[in-house]
Amino acid sequence: MFRQATRSRLSFPSRTVRGLPSLQAAPLSRTIVTKKYTVEHEIVQFDDETHTGVVSITDHAQSSLGDVVFVELPTVGSQVTQGDQIGAVESVKAASDIYAPVSGEVLEVNERLNTEPGLLNRSPEDEGWLCRIKLSTPSEVDSLLTLEAYKETFES
Amino acid sequence: MSSLSLLHHATTRLSSIHRFSRSLTSTITPAHSIYVSKSTNPYFNLTFEDWLFRHKPPKEPLLLLYRDHPCVVIGRNQNPWKEVNFRALHRSGIPFVRRRSGGGTVYHDLGNTNFSIHVPRTTFDRSATAQIILRAVRSLDIDAHVNDRNDICVGKEKIRPFIIATCSAYKIVNNRAYHHGTMLISTRLDTLGDLLRSNKESMVTKGVASVRSPVCNLQQFSSTISHDAFVDAVVHEFRNEFDISEQACMIGETDELMGDDYIHKGMKELPSWEWAYGQTPEFEYKITRSFAWGDVAASIHSKHGIILSCSIDVLKGGNIVLNHEMGEIGKRLEGKRYGQIEDSEVIGARGQSGDILQWLRQEMEV
């Protein structure tokens, strides 16, 4: 599940990842994808070549939420600032907000979630991705949490 | 036959919507285990509930009982124009409130008593809360029972499921599960039916839909039951369950609570347009109308209470000039608040444009 710890080197196109749009970019170059976490249980998979980040929620978050019944996504083209409310998730147990983990422009949203909110449970970090953001301040990624630091926020 | 309690999942959003709210801090802390609100102001009670379940240490049992003056309470991710019959709402002068927790739409009035119960994680059991409420009802001489799915019943009919709610879902550390329910004692079931009826089939909305359930009042089974009797019974059973010796703490809109930043801002946010309407999920509303001069179809697309687009097509009786005029009206409505077309917009428009604007305004207001 948490196979990429904090910073991992992926070579494309030798490996295809279903669902995640940014990882399909830059087919011939070596791209560094950094996976960082937030205390709000979100993940940013940051591609340093394109300066884009794919936002998703963690497996831990989806299992705590239970069956997701509704996902509200941000609008494509909107400018978001780190910490802004950009969407919402409602499950059979809870209603929660989604916050922008980084600042930038929303390039793409996962429209499948409109009709298949359950993707968030089945594949939170892959097919259930939320949106792709073009970072206006790529250095924001550095201040996000590593997997270990993220785990410490709820394991005590 | 008889559903005694209207239960919805009371799930508190993990943080407030606006960024400023996220940094809100409370200067007070909940010191008691049992609270009974004397206020019947839904904005206060819903905000106090949110504050209480966020600030109480999760290891301690917690009970809150309150009732509200008449209001319709919709879930965090619901569409008020789909859930609520605004014509009946305006006629009755009853407000609607968007709560911070998820789930469906319920009707509150002084004839129903709301309870929120948190039991500590270690002892948390799906049936524990149902049993407390059951014992309370039975102590009032009503022959109720709990079925294998923890629904409280009188008789054999299938009752709504008892749902576990979790507060602050993303903040797993502070995760506390609690039950929220509404006990119908002598609620106005006719008003309830009027206000929650909407029947807007051509409004296709994202978000969470409500599930209608048959309900009945406890007074049907006991003429002597009252809010106070039910509150006393639940408090009594809760104290027994957790060996609590203290009495219930009576709270209200006191200076101390109202002066707290979290409660003050929370109460201000609930009735604001930005929260009540501005949190509405995306929807599309398709309507048609025949005028003396032609047939018209309109489609309004809205998100967060703002009209994103409005297309107006003249199906019969159209011409180039008219079609252009309709296009202009559509463009003028873009970016405006859904359901809030100003008088000045309508008064200035004449002829077909005037007809259309008046019609659209009417359709959006009900």
Side-chain angles (χ1 to χ4, degrees):
Chain A
M1 167 177 61
F2 298 116
R3 53 189 185 279
Q4 300 157 359
T6 51
R7 218 168 147 82
S8 56
R9 205 165 270 268
L10 295 177
S11 184
F12 293 98
S14 59
R15 186 172 164 205
T16 51
V17 179
R18 224 154 71 88
L20 291 179
S22 75
L23 301 184
Q24 287 156 2
L28 293 171
S29 61
R30 289 174 75 82
T31 304
I32 295 174
V33 174
T34 309
K35 197 167 176 181
K36 286 293 194 77
Y37 299 78
T38 72
V39 289
E40 314 282 2
H41 304 271
E42 287 154 348
I43 303 171
V44 181
Q45 297 192 60
F46 176 66
D47 182 324
D48 77 342
E49 191 107 342
T50 58
H51 285 182
T52 60
V54 177
V55 180
S56 54
I57 68 163
T58 65
D59 187 64
H60 173 66
Q62 76 73 22
S63 70
S64 308
L65 286 168
D67 290 344
V68 171
V69 294
F70 170 64
V71 183
E72 184 175 83
L73 298 164
T75 307
V76 172
S78 58
Q79 296 289 336
V80 298
T81 304
Q82 190 175 43
D84 278 355
Q85 190 215 345
I86 56 166
V89 173
E90 185 165 334
S91 73
V92 292
K93 294 200 285 187
S96 315
D97 292 334
I98 303 169
Y99 298 105
V102 287
S103 308
E105 183 191 349
V106 178
L107 295 180
E108 203 179 344
V109 297
N110 186 359
E111 301 278 358
R112 283 179 71 194
L113 291 173
N114 287 328
T115 48
E116 298 175 73
L119 277 180
L120 224 58
N121 296 112
R122 287 204 299 281
S123 178
E125 299 181 25
D126 184 13
E127 287 184 71
W129 63 280
L130 300 168
C131 64
R132 192 157 68 95
I133 293 175
K134 173 93 177 174
L135 276 72
S136 53
T137 319
S139 60
E140 279 177 353
V141 172
D142 300 335
S143 60
L144 300 179
L145 303 174
T146 61
L147 175 61
E148 291 74 21
Y150 164 65
K151 279 185 166 176
E152 275 170 27
T153 64
F154 60 89
E155 284 171 0
S156 53
Chain B
M1 167 192 74
S2 32
S3 170
L4 289 183
S5 57
L6 260 181
L7 294 159
H8 65 79
H9 53 290
T11 58
T12 307
R13 299 177 319 136
L14 63 127
S15 310
S16 283
I17 156 184
H18 300 307
R19 272 199 295 162
F20 72 85
S21 315
R22 296 179 72 194
S23 57
L24 285 185
T25 46
S26 257
T27 47
I28 45 176
T29 47
H32 303 276
S33 299
I34 305 172
Y35 291 86
V36 176
S37 175
K38 284 180 292 185
S39 168
T40 56
N41 175 354
Y43 299 110
F44 171 76
N45 285 331
L46 289 169
T47 303
F48 180 78
E49 182 179 48
D50 178 54
W51 170 81
L52 186 61
F53 283 83
R54 263 169 212 281
H55 290 84
K56 184 80 179 169
K59 289 201 169 97
E60 296 167 29
L62 185 58
L63 170 69
L64 168 68
L65 290 146
Y66 63 92
R67 58 178 173 165
D68 290 326
H69 59 240
C71 62
V72 174
V73 183
I74 68 169
R76 161 78 170 85
N77 293 303
Q78 289 203 295
N79 182 337
W81 294 289
K82 185 78 176 171
E83 297 295 333
V84 180
N85 179 346
F86 274 94
R87 193 170 280 156
L89 198 77
H90 294 319
R91 202 165 46 221
S92 60
I94 289 174
F96 90 87
V97 188
R98 183 189 297 276
R99 63 172 180 270
R100 296 174 191 283
S101 54
T105 300
V106 289
Y107 170 69
H108 285 177
D109 66 13
L110 296 180
N112 73 286
T113 303
N114 304 295
F115 54 90
S116 295
I117 297 184
H118 163 73
V119 296
R121 236 181 182 178
T122 44
T123 62
F124 189 79
D125 171 12
R126 200 178 162 79
S127 67
T129 308
Q131 289 296 330
I132 292 169
I133 300 298
L134 175 72
R135 285 201 298 274
V137 173
R138 287 183 69 91
S139 75
L140 299 166
D141 288 332
I142 292 172
D143 189 21
H145 65 276
V146 166
N147 69 10
D148 52 5
R149 292 183 55 198
N150 296 309
D151 308 317
I152 297 168
C153 314
V154 180
K156 288 177 189 163
E157 294 296 313
K158 183 177 161 239
I159 310 293
R160 296 184 60 165
F162 210 98
I163 297 168
I164 299 175
T166 52
C167 167
S168 197
Y170 270 158
K171 300 260 188 230
I172 310 298
V173 187
N174 308 319
N175 201 4
R176 50 162 68 244
Y178 73 98
H179 286 146
H180 177 91
T182 280
M183 186 61 73
L184 299 171
I185 294 171
S186 58
T187 214
R188 288 298 301 263
L189 297 176
D190 50 345
T191 310
L192 180 156
D194 280 349
L195 294 175
L196 305 192
R197 204 173 294 127
S198 172
N199 294 333
K200 265 194 214 121
E201 273 166 27
S202 64
M203 182 176 281
V204 177
T205 188
K206 290 180 183 171
V208 177
S210 296
V211 181
R212 294 189 79 87
S213 304
V215 289
C216 74
N217 279 315
L218 263 192
Q219 268 190 355
Q220 203 172 307
F221 307 102
S222 160
S223 55
T224 55
I225 193 166
S226 65
H227 167 73
D228 289 338
F230 177 71
V231 165
D232 287 348
V234 174
V235 168
H236 179 79
E237 294 303 332
F238 192 80
R239 290 176 66 196
N240 275 356
E241 178 78 21
F242 296 105
D243 278 327
I244 296 166
S245 53
E246 62 160 304
Q247 299 294 317
C249 172
M250 306 300 281
I251 55 112
E253 293 165 64
T254 54
D255 290 345
E256 188 196 19
L257 286 177
M258 301 295 273
D260 183 76
D261 206 33
Y262 192 97
I263 290 176
H264 177 76
K265 289 202 172 134
M267 282 180 71
K268 237 170 101 176
E269 187 177 61
L270 286 184
S272 69
W273 183 92
E274 286 75 9
W275 176 255
Y277 294 98
Q279 284 291 305
T280 304
E282 195 174 342
F283 70 91
E284 186 156 36
Y285 190 30
K286 288 187 167 151
I287 43 176
T288 54
R289 171 85 178 259
S290 291
F291 295 94
W293 47 268
D295 294 349
V296 180
S299 173
I300 307 169
H301 182 200
S302 167
K303 186 178 178 181
H304 292 161
I306 299 292
I307 297 172
L308 297 179
S309 69
C310 173
S311 67
I312 305 157
D313 294 312
V314 183
L315 304 175
K316 218 169 75 187
N319 57 53
I320 295 175
V321 177
L322 193 56
N323 290 349
H324 175 74
E325 249 180 64
M326 296 299 123
E328 290 297 306
I329 293 178
K331 267 187 234 152
R332 239 165 72 194
L333 293 177
E334 268 174 37
K336 297 238 155 67
R337 289 178 173 185
Y338 183 94
Q340 295 198 345
I341 298 183
E342 303 284 336
D343 281 341
S344 55
E345 294 267 1
V346 183
I347 290 166
R350 298 187 187 283
Q352 286 107 328
S353 293
D355 288 349
I356 293 292
L357 275 168
Q358 233 161 41
W359 168 55
L360 292 179
R361 173 154 89 159
Q362 234 166 36
E363 287 285 349
M364 285 193 267
E365 279 175 357
V366 295

